[in-house]
Amino acid sequence: MLQAELERADLLKKVVDAIKDLVQDCNFDCNDSGLALQAMDNSHVALVSMLLQVESFATYRCDRNIALGVNLTSLTKVLRAAQADDRLTLKAEDAPDVLNLLFESSENDRISEYDLKLMDIDQEHLGIPDTEYAATITMPSSEFKRITTDLMAMSESVTIEASKDGVKFSAMGDIGNGSVSLRQHTNVEKEDENVSIQLVEPVSLTFSLKYLVNFCKAAGLSSVVKVCLSNEVPLLVEYNLSGKKGAHSYLRFYLAPKIGDEE
Amino acid sequence: MARTRLSSAKGKKGGGTAEKTNTATTTTATKHPLPTESPNPPKVFILPTKATAAARIVTLPNPRYSKPTRYLVCPEAGFFEFTKISAPKTAPRSWLLESASGTVEKPQADEEENPAISSNDGFDVHITKGAELYVASPLDPLFLLLPALAAGAGQESKSTQASKKRLFLFSDDHFDALSRSTNHVSEILTWPDLRLSLELRMAAVCDTVDAGDEQMFRLNESKLLDEILTKARRMAEHAFPKSMEEKFVSKALEAPILGIRSQPTAVPEPDPATAKSREGSSTPVESADSQSTIPSLATSASSLSEASTPATTASSDSAANADSGDVVNAMSAPEEAIKLQRLRVAFNFICSSYIAPSLAELLKSHCVAAKDKVDFGPLDDYLVKLTKMRNDAAAARTSDYSRKRGMDEEEDERAEKRRKKEEEDKVKKANQSRGVKKLAKVNTTGMKKMSDFFKKK
């Protein structure tokens, strides 16, 4: 059986909120190392990969590998009943029909309990190799979100160009064109505001802005986002979910670059 | 069924006397009742009281199928055939047999059925596996003699030459033709009275010549036809048992249904196309039914074990409608046609039950030819009219109803599938977030699939 307790329901709420607009149904794979999720959008051009390691949970017990097939819209509805700082416990049998969610309020003695019906989802798992990216950009997640939403007004796609001068996001559309350039920047007082660019070689790739905007819904999960690019491989957008602890939990988005002539 | 058979043979036997149930046990019981099945279970017979103690159950060739069959023969009362009546397989039953002490007749040493058993002390209580009942009913020995008399009749086609080729023979020669090592013909012929009565019956259907102090016999088909028609007339005098009457007489003559009174609007206004359908709307099954009268007679005769189940099950919808009484038939059969139909059914029944197929064919063709003996003309006229009406009705039905219905079913199926799919899609859509819907509209040209980058695990 699975019994996993999160200090704050917030974490799961935000994760689900971030991916529910990308993926409809997906399996939460539970094993003794934690709770994992991998899913693609309907067009199979983007991929979400999430891992909540055991360390991210207050208590965690999983005797056997369980796949929890969940409709994310339904899960969102249930999680809406949870306060951000409620203690959340997930429970499931070994061959479950339902996922049991328990919300315990920290302020009063309110306990809400929900059973969510599960479904069988036939999903293929892709093996994602560790990649040495040509450019790795670390920046405030809010900054990345703002850039994508701003450029969304101009065009459907954005070209990300990383060079030793910095990183340039540019969009060309019917009404004109626009771009945002960032340079490496270190803020001593607020580490989260840092912008760092690690460059192996210059790289320039074009991506669908709609997808990037979608990824940025995870901005609330972490103040820092890591954007990794390389030619011929999907863009990686990673949010760290570990918080202050030593865990290595993450939420990663992959997006295939646009190749060929721009429209 | 049993009754019909009885009445067909009754004539020569001098009428049926009151028959009393008489449980004759032809088998024995083991001394100690064993739980295992008895290899020789008791059978229940209803035997005529007028049969004397000298009566025997013997094996004689069946007149129609010429296979050995059991008959009860009494030197005085004559021949009896057995009709097996058993419960339908769907409702299995058993006999619980018990006899008050002293009522069981001592089996005799020469008991035909079980010559080996002579030393049973008594018969106590028995439960049989099936509830078969064997009813003995009088049989005209004429039928038993027919295979011998008509030997070679059918083979040489229907031509009258067959009868010309036939020779006058002594009764002994005819009897010899029947006698086999597997049957008891020669044994029963040693009974003097019986032999005489057999010769009398033989004379009824044969031309005879005197040869010294003995007679010689040759089958006369015309006489035979007369004899059988007499039997058939007697059988058709009154209405048949209800199930038979319904199946072979009323249904065969029933005109297609014109309409149902409670729904007068269902009958379309007369225009050339619908005028035909006005004549009726019977099922096409019906016309097949009337033509299959003879074969179905044959089956009902050969499967008498099913006699306890109703002979007919009103299957076609027109029959069901007929019961409701609201229907208007296009025409009703004239009284004469009904009588002739009964006669024809009776004649066919006798032919298909007691007469070998080849001879039966011959007799039927004779019967059609011999207009002076019986004229089925009015019945045939009616049947021709009826068939035409039914065909019209069937045509009208197939043209406007059944085809449409067939398409409807197909369409229903498709619509059902579509509905199901739509419902599924609806559920899927309802569980789809707005973001996912929006994302589906995103232009993904030039973007490779994830599986192109990452290999499956």
Side-chain angles (χ1 to χ4, degrees):
Chain A
M1 68 171 285
L2 166 79
Q3 187 156 359
E5 194 183 337
L6 281 171
E7 210 90 46
R8 287 169 64 86
D10 218 13
L11 178 60
L12 189 65
K13 275 175 76 129
K14 283 179 178 169
V15 167
V16 173
D17 271 345
I19 59 178
K20 75 166 201 298
D21 285 343
L22 204 61
V23 178
Q24 193 173 319
D25 307 308
C26 68
N27 278 326
F28 283 89
D29 298 306
C30 314
N31 55 35
D32 54 6
S33 66
L35 199 69
L37 177 153
Q38 192 194 83
M40 278 183 280
D41 74 313
N42 282 335
S43 320
H44 285 211
V45 296
L47 185 141
V48 192
S49 174
M50 183 211 73
L51 177 66
L52 282 175
Q53 281 199 321
V54 175
E55 287 79 5
S56 297
F57 293 93
T59 61
Y60 185 89
R61 176 189 158 194
C62 181
D63 307 331
R64 210 164 289 210
N65 291 4
I66 307 171
L68 302 168
V70 171
N71 176 274
L72 290 177
T73 314
S74 311
L75 182 59
T76 311
K77 285 177 187 165
V78 172
L79 287 173
R80 225 173 262 155
Q83 303 284 348
D85 53 356
D86 277 0
R87 188 171 275 268
L88 166 65
T89 310
L90 300 170
K91 274 189 274 188
E93 304 286 317
D94 275 347
D97 292 326
V98 290
L99 170 66
N100 180 274
L101 298 107
L102 195 76
F103 311 135
E104 290 168 88
S105 170
S106 49
E107 284 159 32
N108 46 34
D109 290 335
R110 182 173 190 266
I111 295 176
S112 346
E113 193 175 354
Y114 292 85
D115 278 337
L116 181 69
K117 280 188 199 162
L118 298 178
M119 51 209 265
D120 282 326
I121 300 167
D122 197 23
Q123 248 179 3
E124 52 190 25
H125 263 266
L126 300 179
I128 300 167
D130 284 333
T131 312
E132 282 285 317
Y133 286 96
T136 302
I137 305 143
T138 312
M139 65 170 114
S141 59
S142 53
E143 183 64 34
F144 185 54
K145 183 174 183 174
R146 193 177 159 194
I147 292 168
T148 53
T149 27
D150 286 352
L151 292 179
M152 188 67 183
M154 304 299 293
S155 171
E156 272 198 355
S157 49
V158 61
T159 303
I160 304 176
E161 202 180 334
S163 65
K164 61 181 193 308
D165 293 336
V167 57
K168 186 178 172 191
F169 301 83
S170 52
M172 268 209 293
D174 293 340
I175 59 163
N177 56 61
S179 71
V180 179
S181 296
L182 292 179
R183 293 208 177 168
Q184 186 132 336
H185 164 85
T186 311
N187 189 321
V188 185
E189 280 172 26
K190 292 181 186 167
E191 265 182 45
D192 289 353
E193 306 267 298
N194 285 355
V195 175
S196 81
I197 302 165
Q198 291 170 306
L199 194 73
V200 178
E201 55 174 351
V203 58
S204 172
L205 288 164
T206 306
F207 299 97
S208 161
L209 263 176
K210 274 255 172 69
Y211 276 88
L212 291 181
V213 169
N214 242 320
F215 296 166
C216 286
K217 286 184 177 154
L221 282 163
S222 169
S223 53
V224 177
V225 66
K226 200 162 83 179
V227 179
C228 309
L229 304 117
S230 243
N231 279 319
E232 307 295 317
V233 295
L235 163 85
L236 166 63
V237 179
E238 180 178 323
Y239 296 88
N240 192 343
L241 304 181
S242 308
K244 301 276 181 305
K245 290 186 198 165
H248 191 67
S249 300
Y250 58 79
L251 177 61
R252 288 175 181 159
F253 297 96
Y254 294 87
L255 180 64
K258 284 198 169 202
I259 297 167
D261 292 325
E262 329 274 294
E263 289 130 273
Chain B
M1 211 56 75
R3 212 186 108 203
T4 334
R5 192 175 262 218
L6 183 133
S7 56
S8 72
K10 207 189 270 178
K12 301 297 153 190
K13 292 289 114 190
T17 53
E19 289 183 0
K20 184 187 86 186
T21 310
N22 180 352
T23 311
T25 60
T26 55
T27 57
T28 179
T30 43
K31 242 178 196 170
H32 307 285
L34 292 169
T36 52
E37 202 178 321
S38 165
N40 226 338
K43 293 188 170 79
V44 179
F45 288 90
I46 295 182
L47 299 178
T49 43
K50 62 178 177 172
T52 58
R56 292 288 175 272
I57 292 174
V58 297
T59 305
L60 300 173
N62 184 300
R64 180 165 175 86
Y65 305 105
S66 66
K67 62 183 182 199
T69 311
R70 298 280 202 206
Y71 292 93
L72 176 74
V73 182
C74 171
E76 283 154 43
F79 290 77
F80 296 86
E81 65 174 339
F82 288 116
T83 303
K84 181 180 170 188
I85 298 170
S86 56
K89 278 219 171 76
T90 48
R93 280 167 206 188
S94 294
W95 288 111
L96 171 61
L97 301 175
E98 193 222 20
S99 62
S101 56
T103 59
V104 177
E105 289 169 31
K106 276 267 178 196
Q108 285 150 29
D110 60 340
E111 180 69 63
E112 299 280 354
E113 291 281 283
N114 296 295
I117 299 151
S118 55
S119 63
N120 70 334
D121 297 333
F123 179 84
D124 35 2
V125 179
H126 255 285
I127 297 171
T128 62
K129 197 175 173 188
E132 284 113 6
L133 175 67
Y134 295 87
V135 180
S137 50
L139 173 74
D140 190 342
L142 168 66
F143 292 120
L144 294 171
L145 296 170
L146 271 182
L149 294 173
Q155 276 84 337
E156 284 124 297
S157 81
K158 295 165 192 107
S159 68
T160 46
Q161 286 171 344
S163 67
K164 273 176 191 151
K165 271 182 196 163
R166 225 173 269 146
L167 301 169
F168 282 97
L169 289 172
F170 289 111
S171 57
D172 272 338
D173 298 323
H174 286 307
F175 293 143
D176 281 348
L178 283 179
S179 186
R180 299 270 183 289
S181 58
T182 48
N183 61 37
H184 303 109
V185 173
S186 53
E187 275 140 71
I188 59 166
L189 285 171
T190 57
W191 305 347
D193 294 351
L194 199 74
R195 189 189 182 92
L196 200 68
S197 73
L198 281 177
E199 276 175 14
L200 269 174
R201 292 305 299 142
M202 212 186 276
V205 295
C206 289
D207 301 325
T208 55
V209 287
D210 288 326
D213 52 350
E214 272 196 273
Q215 275 194 314
M216 294 180 83
F217 302 88
R218 187 183 69 181
L219 180 68
N220 182 324
E221 275 148 17
S222 169
K223 277 188 180 177
L224 178 61
L225 182 61
D226 283 342
E227 193 69 27
I228 289 168
L229 278 174
T230 315
K231 286 179 193 297
R233 282 211 177 87
R234 199 175 296 127
M235 184 175 163
E237 222 162 66
H238 307 287
F240 295 145
K242 191 166 176 272
S243 60
M244 266 183 97
E245 177 87 13
E246 202 170 86
K247 181 167 186 180
F248 298 124
V249 181
S250 4
K251 284 230 7 229
L253 297 180
E254 187 178 66
I257 294 153
L258 189 66
I260 294 168
R261 227 169 239 156
S262 54
Q263 304 164 303
T265 47
V267 182
E269 282 307 301
D271 67 80
T274 49
K276 276 184 181 173
S277 71
R278 257 183 75 92
E279 280 180 12
S281 53
S282 169
T283 58
V285 185
E286 279 277 292
S287 49
D289 200 302
S290 71
Q291 278 145 24
S292 68
T293 305
I294 295 152
S296 59
L297 259 175
T299 44
S300 65
S302 57
S303 61
L304 278 167
S305 59
E306 285 163 23
S308 62
T309 59
T312 48
T313 43
S315 53
S316 67
D317 51 353
S318 69
N321 285 341
D323 289 342
S324 68
D326 279 328
V327 295
V328 183
N329 282 9
M331 62 177 181
S332 58
E335 190 62 25
E336 197 187 6
I338 292 173
K339 274 187 178 160
L340 283 171
Q341 172 73 8
R342 271 194 208 135
L343 181 60
R344 178 176 278 177
V345 168
F347 180 78
N348 288 339
F349 175 70
I350 292 169
C351 283
S352 59
S353 308
Y354 297 104
I355 296 173
S358 55
L359 186 60
E361 276 303 306
L362 203 63
L363 280 175
K364 275 174 197 164
S365 60
H366 275 277
C367 181
V368 172
K371 290 262 191 229
D372 52 321
K373 281 174 183 139
V374 59
D375 186 11
F376 285 115
L379 174 62
D380 287 334
D381 291 348
Y382 176 77
L383 283 178
V384 167
K385 231 160 79 187
L386 193 64
T387 313
K388 188 180 172 293
M389 203 177 273
R390 278 176 179 158
N391 287 346
D392 286 351
R397 176 163 288 196
T398 39
S399 61
D400 47 87
Y401 300 118
S402 37
R403 196 178 304 153
K404 191 173 174 205
R405 172 131 187 87
M407 264 164 76
D408 270 355
E409 265 168 18
E410 242 171 63
E411 242 164 54
D412 277 356
E413 218 167 83
R414 239 178 287 149
E416 177 75 16
K417 268 187 192 164
R418 210 184 308 135
R419 221 174 302 130
K420 247 187 187 171
K421 208 173 171 231
E422 267 170 19
E423 241 164 61
E424 266 173 30
D425 285 354
K426 218 179 176 185
V427 170
K428 243 184 173 177
K429 284 245 174 77
N431 283 332
Q432 203 172 36
S433 67
R434 220 175 34 180
V436 172
K437 265 179 252 174
K438 274 191 183 167
L439 213 55
K441 290 177 197 152
V442 173
N443 179 9
T444 55
T445 45
M447 291 164 85
K448 281 193 191 170
K449 301 251 153 126
M450 276 293 132
S451 46
D452 292 342
F453 301 107
F454 306 131
K455 293 288 155 273
K456 278 177 201 168
K457 261 185 195 169

